[in-house]
Amino acid sequence: MLVVILRTAALCAVSWALWRILQSFVVKSALDNLPGPPSLSLFKGVFPQVFNINAWDFHKQIAEKYGSVIKIKAMLGENQLYVFDPKALHHIVVKDQYIYEETSAFIEMNRLTFGPGLLGTLGDHHRKQRKMLNPVFSIAHMREMIPTFYNVSYKLRDAFAHRARNGPQEIDVLSWMTRTALELIGQSGLGYSFDPLTEDGVPHPYSVSAKQLVPVLFQLIFARTYFLSTSVKIGTPRLRRFFVNLLPWKALHEIRDIVDVLHNTSLEIFESKKKALEEGDEAVSKQIGQGKDIMSILMRANIDASEEDRLSKEEILGQMSTLTFAAMDTTSGALSRILHLLSTHPRVQDKLREEIREARSKHGDMAYDELVALPYLDAVCRETLRLYPPVSVVSRTTRQDIVLPLSNPVRGLDGREMSEIPIPNNTNVIVSIIGSNRNPEIWGPDSYEWKPERWLTPLPDTVAGAHLPGVYSHLMTFLGGGRACIGFKFSQLEMKVVLLLLIESFKFSPSAKEIFWQMNAIATPTVKGGSSRSQMPMIVELVKPVA
């Protein structure tokens, strides 16, 4: 029986491949006339060059050579579009966002990994979930989370102080930022503690698994892009699990085990919160979040919601897994990137420490308004998120034929100028976040330099004039439209509280080990020439006694 299934699958795959090759020669579109890097392989095109842990230079080179609208050759001659033209971005993520939807592979992978949460749903289903979640990410609720952020961040500070009590020490800062980010979302988001943040504390299995997820998924990017959306339609979940167990594919087995940990942890937390809510206010008040955490508020609101708006148990679990992973991985990466940059720019670090100490001497543990008003801290965060967004690119796919307008005309291979591009149905569009954030035509000739001071003076007129659709500071870092990052203010607040306490008390310097940032789906640091394990060793020195 298994042999018959495999033979049938192979026949279908060969037939599909032959059709795709024939289609690339016979069926022509306007995309064929666009400039782009030459295909290096009939089978994969330049896909391996675009999605590669070392792809930083490739992305910069194609942006400089071909401009803001680029043809990318993918599997078997397929045309994809690589875009960071401002007007095109507005249409993709805002005006025509329901035509340029998340790719089927992205949705199916997130649904399998996290469940039917924000990252695993489309259309009305996604809008219903977002409507339920929007209130818990309001500024009013952010203000209430500040004490929790300080509580967790002080534990991190004390752990660093203990390590550095006898002099400068090499510390894997990424590991600590990951543990801290998970504990921040755990307490404020789930009302749950994952980690005591002590030196001898063992990282929670969720933390270990979640940090492995993106690098392992990146290994499967080609298979996910082209085969996942078909594979999930074959048989029952039980049958598909059987085949996953059967296949001698290490990365696939690692994903299976990671997903099991994420799901089981979310289920454990959900059942605990559900039981407390059923027992009443006294039981809720005894939990870590005292009923003020995101999921407690969401679950209460869900009970009171109409039948039409109410989320199912699977959807609630999906939100828990989605928000926990997203908040942990992107925030820990952004914090690590900032500390890495500060270590290599000591004058910036000293200036930031001076601002923080002056503010702390006046306000102590600053409330929301004082914290977000610190100009240099804000500038350091904005500039880092501009030049080094945690996510470099995202993909969309067209759900119907559509015309994409451009801010700046592009010259086709036939010499004609095009101010708009007809895009066929089912075309994948790669939205380049780094291309937009680093675009010299918008940000000026120093766009590839890390300069926090640029945010302390008026930005070039070209920045506002570009009318970029990002929800944050003219940047595409958190995207825009209905699929913009719902927790971007939450993330910024976490980062600022952590940086406030760390920079006040410690000096960060590079270690002897060179750090290289891998261009995974979410950028991750590792030691150049060492193992592929995500890590970022730095020298941490106590510069202010910690009580």
Side-chain angles (χ1 to χ4, degrees):
M1 178 65 178
L2 180 59
V3 173
V4 174
I5 292 174
L6 292 175
R7 283 179 177 171
T8 303
L11 180 61
C12 290
V14 170
S15 300
W16 176 79
L18 290 173
W19 162 244
R20 289 300 298 267
I21 294 172
L22 180 65
Q23 187 183 42
S24 69
F25 285 105
V26 175
V27 181
K28 297 297 181 181
S29 76
L31 302 186
D32 290 299
N33 193 35
L34 289 172
S39 179
L40 302 181
S41 159
L42 174 62
F43 184 52
K44 292 187 176 181
V46 292
F47 204 87
Q49 284 68 49
V50 176
F51 299 101
N52 184 300
I53 61 172
N54 301 301
W56 302 109
D57 288 341
F58 180 80
H59 283 258
K60 182 180 180 182
Q61 288 163 9
I62 63 173
E64 292 176 345
K65 184 173 182 178
Y66 301 107
S68 58
V69 182
I70 305 168
K71 175 181 64 186
I72 295 294
K73 281 292 184 181
M75 186 176 182
L76 300 175
E78 173 200 358
N79 286 325
Q80 295 192 7
L81 202 60
Y82 183 100
V83 179
F84 57 92
D85 176 272
K87 191 172 185 179
L89 292 179
H90 176 75
H91 279 256
I92 292 167
V93 304
V94 178
K95 189 173 186 296
D96 299 316
Q97 61 182 295
Y98 302 118
I99 295 173
Y100 296 93
E101 289 191 327
E102 301 279 11
T103 65
S104 299
F106 179 88
I107 293 298
E108 295 297 349
M109 190 68 245
N110 285 323
R111 191 173 286 142
L112 288 172
T113 306
F114 307 118
L118 279 178
L119 293 178
T121 53
L122 292 169
D124 291 339
H125 196 181
H126 180 269
R127 287 192 287 276
K128 181 185 83 167
Q129 293 186 358
R130 199 167 180 106
K131 178 182 175 183
M132 285 287 291
L133 283 164
N134 275 331
V136 298
F137 287 101
S138 66
I139 295 298
H141 193 216
M142 294 297 105
R143 295 178 194 277
E144 293 186 359
M145 290 183 178
I146 285 280
T148 300
F149 291 170
Y150 274 111
N151 177 51
V152 172
S153 299
Y154 271 120
K155 291 179 181 178
L156 170 67
R157 186 202 67 174
D158 292 346
F160 274 25
H162 186 261
R163 283 285 299 273
R165 65 189 183 281
N166 295 322
Q169 292 290 315
E170 183 178 276
I171 297 176
D172 182 1
V173 171
L174 177 68
S175 172
W176 281 96
M177 293 306 105
T178 301
R179 291 174 63 182
T180 302
L182 180 60
E183 186 63 6
L184 283 164
I185 187 61
Q187 291 200 23
S188 59
L190 308 180
Y192 181 89
S193 179
F194 287 97
D195 193 327
L197 291 179
T198 54
E199 188 175 351
D200 57 353
V202 178
H204 193 280
Y206 189 104
S207 173
V208 176
S209 296
K211 206 62 190 172
Q212 294 171 342
L213 178 61
V214 170
V216 177
L217 279 178
F218 202 70
Q219 296 175 37
L220 299 169
I221 189 166
F222 190 77
R224 287 191 290 119
T225 300
Y226 288 102
F227 305 117
L228 179 62
S229 56
T230 300
S231 301
V232 295
K233 298 172 185 175
I234 300 173
T236 63
R238 186 173 180 180
L239 178 64
R240 293 194 292 271
R241 177 80 177 210
F242 169 77
F243 279 114
V244 167
N245 294 339
L246 190 66
L247 287 171
W249 195 347
K250 182 184 176 185
L252 194 62
H253 291 175
E254 289 176 346
I255 287 295
R256 173 201 62 197
D257 297 340
I258 289 169
V259 169
D260 285 347
V261 171
L262 302 188
H263 174 75
N264 292 335
T265 304
S266 293
L267 186 61
E268 175 192 337
I269 298 170
F270 173 83
E271 294 298 342
S272 171
K273 302 198 79 58
K274 181 182 175 185
K275 182 180 178 183
L277 287 170
E278 289 171 349
E279 291 176 356
D281 293 343
E282 185 177 347
V284 171
S285 66
K286 292 179 181 177
Q287 291 198 313
I288 287 175
Q290 297 181 326
K292 296 179 181 180
D293 57 276
I294 289 171
M295 293 315 300
S296 290
I297 293 171
L298 176 63
M299 289 173 72
R300 276 199 298 266
N302 198 51
I303 292 170
D304 297 333
S306 65
E307 191 66 35
E308 179 184 355
D309 291 336
R310 192 170 299 148
L311 305 182
S312 66
K313 175 183 175 181
E314 288 71 26
E315 288 177 286
I316 295 288
L317 283 169
Q319 309 312 334
M320 294 176 73
S321 295
T322 298
L323 295 174
T324 305
F325 169 76
M328 185 205 80
D329 220 35
T330 54
T331 302
S332 63
L335 276 168
S336 297
R337 179 76 82 167
I338 291 172
L339 292 172
H340 183 215
L341 288 165
L342 290 174
S343 75
T344 58
H345 295 78
R347 281 186 289 183
V348 175
Q349 185 179 165
D350 290 343
K351 183 176 178 179
L352 178 59
R353 184 175 296 110
E354 184 180 340
E355 177 185 78
I356 288 172
R357 286 182 172 176
E358 183 179 343
R360 292 271 286 163
S361 67
K362 295 177 182 177
H363 304 290
D365 286 350
M366 284 177 276
Y368 176 88
D369 293 314
E370 289 89 14
L371 183 59
V372 298
L374 291 178
Y376 204 59
L377 176 60
D378 190 61
V380 166
C381 291
R382 286 178 194 263
E383 181 66 352
T384 304
L385 292 170
R386 181 193 70 83
L387 190 59
Y388 301 106
V391 177
S392 301
V393 298
V394 295
S395 292
R396 296 289 187 265
T397 192
T398 53
R399 301 298 180 181
Q400 66 182 57
D401 293 347
I402 190 168
V403 175
L404 181 65
L406 305 176
S407 299
N408 302 304
V410 296
R411 189 171 298 279
L413 298 177
D414 62 2
R416 290 187 299 112
E417 278 199 345
M418 296 180 286
S419 57
E420 57 184 26
I421 302 170
I423 303 180
N425 181 30
N426 206 31
T427 297
N428 280 359
V429 179
I430 301 168
V431 173
S432 178
I433 294 171
I434 55 171
S436 177
N437 286 2
R438 300 175 175 186
N439 189 346
E441 293 181 5
I442 295 174
W443 295 95
D446 61 353
S447 64
Y448 284 92
E449 298 176 38
W450 187 71
K451 298 173 69 173
E453 281 74 16
R454 80 171 72 241
W455 298 94
L456 302 178
T457 57
L459 294 170
D461 293 340
T462 48
V463 175
H467 302 293
L468 289 159
V471 293
Y472 170 71
S473 293
H474 307 289
L475 303 175
M476 291 302 296
T477 304
F478 297 106
L479 292 178
R483 297 194 79 92
C485 174
I486 196 170
F488 78 95
K489 292 177 183 175
F490 178 96
S491 175
Q492 286 178 284
L493 199 57
E494 288 180 303
M495 288 163 53
K496 288 181 177 180
V497 172
V498 170
L499 292 169
L500 192 78
L501 299 188
L502 291 186
I503 300 303
E504 177 189 36
S505 300
F506 306 98
K507 176 184 177 182
F508 292 85
S509 307
S511 75
K513 300 167 184 172
E514 185 179 353
I515 302 301
F516 171 72
W517 284 80
Q518 297 180 329
M519 195 176 178
N520 290 313
I522 298 175
T524 52
T526 188
V527 172
K528 195 170 185 177
S531 72
S532 59
R533 179 177 67 88
S534 298
Q535 56 182 310
M536 196 179 75
M538 297 176 68
I539 303 301
V540 180
E541 180 182 355
L542 195 62
V543 292
K544 177 188 175 185
V546 172

